[in-house]
Amino acid sequence: MTFEIVLLLAIVLGALVLFTSGIISVDLTALLVMVSLMATGILTPEEGISGFSNTATTTVLALLILSEGLKNTGAVELLGDKMVRLTGKYEWVTLIVIMLISAFASAFVNTTAVVAVFIPVMFRIARSSGIQVSVLLVPLSFAAMIGGASTMIGTSTNLLINALGQSYGLGKLRIFDLTLMGGILFLTLMLYMIFIGRHWLKKESSQEEVIDDGHGPANYLTEIIIPEGSALINKSLNGGALATTRELNVLRVIRGNSGEASFSHIHVGKLQKNDILVVKANIKELIKLRNNPNVRIITNNRLSSVSNDQEEETNLFEVLVVPNSNLIDRKIKDVDFYRFYDAYPMAVRKGGIIGDQKLMEHKISLGDILLMDGDSEPKTFYSKNDWITIQRIAKDEIEKHLYRKDKLAVSVAILMGVILLAVSNILPILISAWIGVTLMFLTRCITLKRAYQNVEWKVVFLLAGIIPLGIALNKTGADALIANGFVELTSGTSPTFVVSGLFLLTTLLTGVISNQATAVLLVPIAIRIASGLEMPPEPLVIAILFGANTSFLTPVGYQTNAMVYGPGNYKFTDFFKVGGLLCLIFWALATFLIPRLYM
């Protein structure tokens, strides 16, 4: 064993300690590995920074931008809304719908983004169905993981493994080469969750906390109008965009120029042009109403004359009406807010019960809270003395709900085009993905600024920093040393045994360190093992791929598991119990299926 190999193994050991302990973030750990390899002379500077130009890194970046473009146009949120409508009171039916939709979405959109959007949806489903949210979140995460593993563009890990394999002379995996295996695993997961897993995820009522999605129940009163050309005209309130939920409730519908007809929302029938709706909603829903082209908040007149780009610069803030305010005992319709306050009221909230009167008729009282849209800095005499600002709504919180729904069909068409070009082998996925990114920018599905702000750069730096480790393992001969030891241990055994061992090792390692890090460590070794055993390397690489994407043992084994861990009020043992048995089942399936499907 040379000094270089000893030095490299020390760096690998240090990286494993940092990955496992979480003392610093995984992307920073990856950069430390890259710098250490160059500083010690194991790699040249060109080799050390090669991860930034690697096709896996650049393809992942392109796909992250495509995912953000889909999210920006509301495509993922639309799937979430469909999910809410399709679920019912039956727990097993609800689980099937959740797992099917999340797995399908994760096959084409970044898995982490899908789960992030769907977590609040799980709370909506739990509230409407009475199903414990702990029963829903783990199946959501597990299904998204398998969905991502089922296509080559589903996760960054798949792209990384594909690129590593190609660098060692393996054939390129096509987009749907993994789908049959992934489909079998998904069907197994669904049956497991219906008959076993969901029962182990249930909490005693005293154990399950009531955790909201951060936006609370409907507590603001506002007033909206259905403008000419709205897609809501001749549509029913029930089951539509304005259907009653905990976050939004239509209290009353007023019809006619003089408001002569007033209906309860359940008696309104079809919506008509110029209908006025008295609505109670929380801030999140108000932001969505504010940016919905099919409705207009009556007091927020300024928005009808500004562009989408200008809307993003608008400030939202909450103000508390103070004693001796000039607003007290005045109706909202009688106040020239823009002249005296340089802002418009979007909604009002009282400490007590909000009635169903029109917002414009609301008489302002001491202690009322107004949600304002405009200049949050108290520049006028009146804004300095009539209220105090109690909260400014963070700009990123506003922008999360500024979906470009008019571009939804365009963004979906672009993604389908990227997939079609890659599947038909007309263009490599790298080129087709970047063509898709360029079209996303040109069609304004997403802006460059939003891409810079929202793309998960951690993944990009993690890949760029950790890829050189594979080069170092090969350059120093460390991969051959480890592979020869494995070959000696497994000499005389069947290829199936080797596949089984690698899948299990990958699953266990991914339970404590990043799945990308596990892949970078094991892929070069697996290829060396295949060479030593004179067997094709593809089954071993596939075993690592699925093992890295289906580690359900711990909440830290995969990002989506960590995301649902807190909101679901889970314990570490919940994952070990539910995920542990599932890992054993998947291990048996992988041992049987991978040699038959990929050898």
Side-chain angles (χ1 to χ4, degrees):
M1 186 181 294
T2 66
F3 175 73
E4 270 195 336
I5 292 179
V6 173
L7 192 58
L8 175 60
L9 293 178
I11 292 173
V12 172
L13 181 62
L16 287 173
V17 171
L18 291 175
F19 280 131
T20 306
S21 64
I23 296 172
I24 59 176
S25 63
V26 292
D27 48 333
L28 182 54
T29 298
L31 291 178
L32 280 174
V33 169
M34 179 187 76
V35 170
S36 300
L37 293 172
M38 291 188 289
T40 55
I42 294 175
L43 295 182
T44 65
E46 291 76 16
E47 291 170 332
I49 64 171
S50 62
F52 286 99
S53 61
N54 188 279
T55 55
T57 308
T58 50
T59 305
V60 166
L61 177 57
L63 291 171
L64 287 173
I65 296 173
L66 286 173
S67 293
E68 193 58 37
L70 282 173
K71 186 177 174 184
N72 191 48
T73 58
V76 182
E77 188 193 51
L78 179 64
L79 272 177
D81 290 339
K82 296 290 185 187
M83 187 188 294
V84 173
R85 294 185 191 123
L86 289 171
T87 55
K89 297 292 183 182
Y90 293 105
E91 194 173 84
W92 65 275
V93 174
T94 299
L95 282 178
I96 289 174
V97 171
I98 289 170
M99 288 189 286
L100 279 171
I101 293 178
S102 59
F104 176 79
S106 297
F108 305 104
V109 182
N110 179 267
T111 302
T112 305
V114 170
V115 174
V117 171
F118 284 176
I119 285 175
V121 176
M122 295 304 102
F123 283 96
R124 289 168 59 188
I125 292 172
R127 286 192 293 266
S128 63
S129 65
I131 300 170
Q132 290 186 357
V133 75
S134 61
V135 177
L136 306 179
L137 288 174
V138 159
L140 168 71
S141 175
F142 287 5
M145 290 165 65
I146 296 176
S150 300
T151 66
M152 275 313 305
I153 64 173
T155 70
S156 55
T157 307
N158 294 2
L159 292 163
L160 173 60
I161 290 174
N162 198 19
L164 286 173
Q166 288 179 68
S167 68
Y168 284 93
L170 270 65
K172 182 175 68 174
L173 291 168
R174 294 168 299 179
I175 287 183
F176 296 113
D177 281 350
L178 309 170
T179 306
L180 178 57
M181 176 78 178
I184 295 171
L185 295 181
F186 174 74
L187 182 60
T188 304
L189 169 72
M190 198 156 56
L191 293 172
Y192 173 80
M193 282 298 172
I194 290 170
F195 292 107
I196 300 174
R198 66 186 174 109
H199 301 294
W200 288 353
L201 291 170
K202 291 179 180 178
K203 306 281 186 181
E204 295 178 10
S205 56
S206 59
Q207 289 182 298
E208 184 169 52
E209 298 177 13
V210 180
I211 303 175
D212 200 359
D213 56 13
H215 300 283
N219 55 7
Y220 266 106
L221 184 76
T222 193
E223 196 173 342
I224 61 176
I225 190 169
I226 308 296
E228 185 175 0
S230 169
L232 296 176
I233 295 173
N234 293 324
K235 297 290 179 62
S236 171
L237 279 172
N238 298 323
L242 301 176
T244 297
T245 65
R246 182 171 179 263
E247 295 86 5
L248 183 143
N249 183 18
V250 177
L251 302 175
R252 199 154 59 103
V253 178
I254 302 163
R255 183 166 293 163
N257 293 331
S258 57
E260 61 270 13
S262 179
F263 307 95
S264 164
H265 73 283
I266 60 175
H267 299 125
V268 70
K270 304 292 185 184
L271 289 171
Q272 298 179 12
K273 183 180 75 172
N274 294 327
D275 277 355
I276 295 172
L277 281 63
V278 179
V279 175
K280 191 162 70 166
N282 63 11
I283 290 177
K284 183 188 78 170
E285 294 299 327
L286 285 167
I287 292 171
K288 290 164 71 174
L289 288 173
R290 168 188 176 275
N291 298 289
N292 187 341
N294 295 309
V295 302
R296 180 167 58 84
I297 296 178
I298 290 179
T299 58
N300 217 27
N301 298 317
R302 181 166 60 91
L303 292 180
S304 60
S305 60
V306 296
S307 68
N308 284 330
D309 289 337
Q310 288 173 311
E311 284 184 41
E312 292 189 16
E313 300 304 321
T314 301
N315 294 315
L316 294 185
F317 56 102
E318 289 180 301
V319 298
L320 176 69
V321 178
V322 298
N324 301 318
S325 169
N326 291 292
L327 292 171
I328 293 175
D329 290 332
R330 298 179 67 186
K331 292 182 177 180
I332 286 180
K333 70 177 183 179
D334 296 331
V335 180
D336 190 343
F337 279 93
Y338 185 64
R339 177 183 175 189
F340 292 107
Y341 302 96
D342 200 20
Y344 286 97
M346 283 180 61
V348 63
R349 174 157 65 97
K350 296 176 68 70
I353 298 173
I354 300 177
D356 63 350
Q357 76 280 4
K358 294 176 66 176
L359 174 64
M360 299 299 285
E361 297 291 335
H362 174 75
K363 186 179 286 188
I364 301 171
S365 304
L366 170 65
D368 280 2
I369 296 175
L370 304 176
L371 180 65
M372 304 298 295
D373 179 7
D375 192 340
S376 62
E377 295 299 324
K379 294 180 179 178
T380 71
F381 169 83
Y382 295 98
S383 58
K384 290 178 181 178
N385 293 278
D386 289 347
W387 65 49
I388 56 173
T389 301
I390 58 175
Q391 179 185 205
R392 291 176 176 84
I393 313 300
K395 188 175 180 182
D396 60 350
E397 178 66 22
I398 297 171
E399 290 184 343
K400 278 197 299 186
H401 304 288
L402 289 176
Y403 296 124
R404 294 298 307 272
K405 292 189 176 180
D406 56 319
K407 303 292 185 181
L408 193 153
V410 176
S411 68
V412 172
I414 290 172
L415 179 66
M416 292 299 103
V418 169
I419 293 171
L420 183 63
L421 287 172
V423 170
S424 59
N425 290 322
I426 296 174
L427 290 173
I429 182 64
L430 173 65
I431 299 174
S432 62
W434 278 105
I435 290 174
V437 168
T438 306
L439 290 174
M440 284 277 190
F441 289 140
L442 289 174
T443 57
R444 304 288 292 174
C445 290
I446 186 172
T447 62
L448 281 164
K449 180 180 178 182
R450 185 147 185 170
Y452 295 148
Q453 290 175 337
N454 294 350
V455 164
E456 196 178 358
W457 293 101
K458 174 190 277 191
V459 174
V460 176
F461 280 96
L462 172 63
L463 295 180
I466 207 70
I467 283 173
L469 185 57
I471 300 173
L473 285 168
N474 180 254
K475 184 178 180 180
T476 60
D479 57 349
L481 182 69
I482 298 170
N484 290 336
F486 191 93
V487 169
E488 288 182 14
L489 286 174
T490 57
S491 59
T493 60
S494 67
T496 299
F497 180 84
V498 179
V499 168
S500 179
L502 267 180
F503 182 91
L504 181 61
L505 176 61
T506 306
T507 300
L508 294 175
L509 276 178
T510 306
V512 291
I513 67 174
S514 153
N515 55 351
Q516 289 100 343
T518 301
V520 169
L521 286 171
L522 294 183
V523 167
I525 294 170
I527 293 171
R528 284 282 188 176
I529 290 170
S531 175
L533 294 174
E534 296 182 351
M535 64 177 288
E538 284 80 8
L540 302 186
V541 173
I542 295 293
I544 293 171
L545 187 150
F546 278 104
N549 281 305
T550 58
S551 182
F552 311 118
L553 277 171
T554 69
V556 297
Y558 203 88
Q559 267 188 314
T560 57
N561 286 349
M563 290 166 64
V564 302
Y565 183 63
N569 195 30
Y570 297 112
K571 297 177 181 177
F572 194 93
T573 52
D574 291 329
F575 280 88
F576 191 76
K577 181 170 64 174
V578 177
L581 178 57
L582 187 61
C583 282
L584 289 175
I585 295 171
F586 275 26
W587 179 31
L589 285 172
T591 301
F592 177 78
L593 291 172
I594 291 175
R596 287 160 178 79
L597 293 177
Y598 298 101
M599 190 173 285

